[in-house]
Amino acid sequence: MTALVSASALGASRQARVWLSTNSHQYTLAPMAPATLGEPHALPIAVEIDAGSPQQAMVGFGASITDASADLIQQLPAHARAALLDELFGRDGDGIGLSFARLTIGASDFSRRHYTLDDTPDNAPDPTLAHFSIAPNLADVVPVTRAALAINPQLKVMASPWSAPAWMKSNRSLIQGTLDPAAYDAFARYLLRYVDAMDGQGIPIWALTVQNEPDFEPSSYPGMRLNAPARARFIGQHLGPLLAARGAASPMLFDWDHNWSKPEEPLAVLADPDARRYVDAVAWHCYEGSPDAQSPVHAAYPDKDVYMTECSGGDWEPLRSGGLVLQARRLIIDSVRHDARGVLFWNLALDPQGGPHAGGCGTCRGVVTIDPASGQVTRTDDYTALAHASRFVPPGAHRVASSAAMDGVDNVAFVNPDGGRVLVVANSAPVPRTFSVRDGNQGFRYTLPGRSLATFTWTPSPP
């Protein structure tokens, strides 16, 4: 295998720099000896890059600052907390440059208790939102997000509710149920009250969804079914007009925020002309279906962008056997090849027991694991998968056309704003694969170990 060298020795011209990770953890974001750029010669496995065919501009890669994540990060000593946030959101030194984040509007399963931001005694109606307060977020989510924005002012923050307040729902409970049509106006104002409250804390909300996983009613944590006809009515007649009235200061609106397995849901919302005019993008989750569901929806409505907004790592199949390479291939490579402008993993941080959480997933993992007893921080496979893209692909980079997968070798290619090239390649095969790369009049060849992931960067030669 190619010998390891120091990062400082990797800057020579006419070379492609290489960083390697393996499922076995023998290598993790390890700088390797560079590949020599020369005349391109195609091998049976060939990656052909067409830098003259730019696709979507990238917003970035990141994870959700859930209540659990923020709580754990805030528990770290100040110096350790600052170092971790610099590493996650910064681009200097070893920073991995996360530039996309998601917040929960009220509790998710990864909260210590179930709540919304307008809970009332005995679920009494509160149409004026007199009880609205972001106080539950002031000790953790707000300071952590504000610190991340101070490190990376380009950070784009989206937000999603798990449930409307119980007094707005058909069953008057945070668990299950749907939004009472009589409360559509109040819920629209509730979402915008959140936007204003966070803006007052120095956190601009860049995008909203109207409901996390609207085709699912979890039995152990806040949730709310909101099918396509209901979302279309809510968006077209209530939330959308309020957003439009705000003009350029309005956050964007994403529909769906659920799995690849039901593209008919966002298609139905976009088929409604009243709703469609207010929807900017479709958001997807990874737990059912496959990334290729994204492209037909985008093709039907090419003015609506694509985002992958939730996917958790964890201890279940196929993640257990597929490991790092499976996560990277589905989310960093395939989701982006199918038009995603941004990719979000789920919890930014969890503890060694996969918590704290109140219901929901007991086998999820965070991008980092924080042991609150010792303060030890461990970087997971999700961190590695994200870093293979986020560290090298800044906001404003464009994905460019490149060859389809061959013999278990998948790839995605980018041109950065400075013209530099980035290529992420995954080898899912259990054995090494040798492949060629051609970018215009130059190229290189490389052998990736079995079940491994690599990022290549280089500067193109003049035409």
Side-chain angles (χ1 to χ4, degrees):
M1 185 178 293
T2 311
L4 283 167
V5 296
S6 69
S8 62
L10 296 178
S13 61
R14 305 295 295 160
Q15 292 178 334
R17 302 172 72 181
V18 187
W19 287 263
L20 176 69
S21 299
T22 55
N23 266 18
S24 66
H25 301 146
Q26 179 181 4
Y27 297 115
T28 301
L29 285 169
M32 309 300 287
T36 300
L37 289 166
E39 293 293 326
H41 298 288
L43 296 176
I45 303 176
V47 178
E48 303 282 330
I49 297 171
D50 184 359
S53 296
Q55 309 295 312
Q56 72 270 29
M58 299 304 298
V59 165
F61 304 86
S64 291
I65 304 174
T66 58
D67 291 357
S69 300
D71 181 13
L72 290 165
I73 291 169
Q74 278 295 94
Q75 289 184 54
L76 290 171
H79 69 281
R81 179 169 66 247
L84 177 60
L85 291 173
D86 278 338
E87 177 186 342
L88 291 170
F89 295 97
R91 287 199 169 273
D92 297 331
D94 293 328
I96 65 170
L98 301 183
S99 56
F100 191 20
R102 185 179 183 220
L103 305 182
T104 72
I105 304 175
S108 71
D109 42 332
F110 286 92
S111 301
R112 292 189 182 274
R113 64 182 180 89
H114 298 166
Y115 69 93
T116 72
L117 304 180
D118 197 318
D119 296 326
T120 60
D122 299 320
N123 289 335
D126 183 25
T128 65
L129 305 181
H131 289 82
F132 182 92
S133 173
I134 61 166
N137 299 149
L138 293 177
D140 41 38
V141 172
V142 165
V144 169
T145 308
R146 201 158 49 196
L149 280 160
I151 295 164
N152 181 4
Q154 287 187 290
L155 180 69
K156 295 293 190 287
V157 179
M158 66 168 288
S160 307
W162 263 241
S163 174
W167 57 268
M168 296 187 191
K169 294 178 65 179
S170 61
N171 63 350
R172 301 301 188 259
S173 171
L174 299 186
I175 308 297
Q176 301 183 320
T178 190
L179 185 63
D180 187 336
Y184 279 15
D185 177 67
F187 188 49
R189 289 185 287 106
Y190 170 87
L191 295 178
L192 295 185
R193 181 74 69 87
Y194 172 82
V195 170
D196 292 339
M198 295 303 278
D199 188 66
Q201 295 293 326
I203 301 170
I205 299 301
W206 172 75
L208 287 172
T209 64
V210 301
Q211 174 60 35
N212 172 72
E213 299 193 342
D215 195 50
F216 179 48
E217 292 179 68
S219 61
S220 62
Y221 62 93
M224 184 170 75
R225 189 177 296 275
L226 204 62
N227 62 19
R231 294 199 313 282
R233 179 182 170 193
F234 175 70
I235 293 169
Q237 300 178 26
H238 298 274
L239 180 59
L242 292 180
L243 289 169
R246 292 177 167 233
S250 172
M252 293 194 298
L253 182 61
F254 299 171
D255 184 48
W256 190 219
D257 212 10
H258 206 168
N259 288 328
W260 290 317
S261 56
K262 289 196 172 181
E264 64 273 15
E265 275 277 327
L267 284 170
V269 171
L270 293 174
D272 182 292
D274 291 333
R276 181 172 64 246
R277 62 199 291 194
Y278 302 116
V279 174
D280 297 286
V282 175
W284 301 90
H285 294 186
C286 74
Y287 306 111
E288 293 179 355
S290 59
D292 57 4
Q294 297 173 174
S295 288
V297 177
H298 182 57
Y301 298 95
D303 61 327
K304 311 304 179 187
D305 287 333
V306 178
Y307 291 89
M308 157 53 61
T309 54
E310 187 186 313
C311 191
S312 183
D315 186 23
W316 58 79
E317 289 296 343
L319 292 185
R320 186 182 296 119
S321 58
L324 163 69
V325 172
L326 175 65
Q327 281 289 76
R329 191 188 74 225
R330 290 198 309 161
L331 301 177
I332 304 302
I333 296 177
D334 287 350
S335 180
V336 175
R337 287 183 67 97
H338 288 288
D339 305 305
R341 296 190 62 195
V343 174
L344 288 169
F345 282 59
W346 185 204
N347 291 275
L348 183 62
L350 291 178
D351 67 23
Q353 289 73 47
H357 66 100
C361 180
T363 54
C364 289
R365 67 176 176 232
V367 171
V368 298
T369 302
I370 298 176
D371 186 337
S374 66
Q376 181 179 357
V377 177
T378 305
R379 291 138 191 89
T380 70
D381 280 350
D382 304 298
Y383 174 102
T384 303
L386 277 170
H388 265 278
S390 62
R391 184 174 169 185
F392 307 99
V393 181
H398 280 81
R399 180 178 74 87
V400 295
S402 60
S403 304
M406 299 177 66
D407 291 337
V409 176
D410 296 78
N411 76 86
V412 64
F414 304 89
V415 173
N416 282 345
D418 64 1
R421 310 304 204 232
V422 180
L423 177 68
V424 182
V425 183
N427 176 18
S428 301
V431 296
R433 291 283 194 242
T434 300
F435 56 91
S436 61
V437 175
R438 182 174 71 86
D439 171 27
N441 61 359
Q442 63 184 350
F444 62 91
R445 61 176 59 194
Y446 201 82
T447 300
L448 270 184
R451 298 194 173 104
S452 68
L453 175 68
T455 298
F456 302 86
T457 68
W458 67 94
T459 301
S461 62

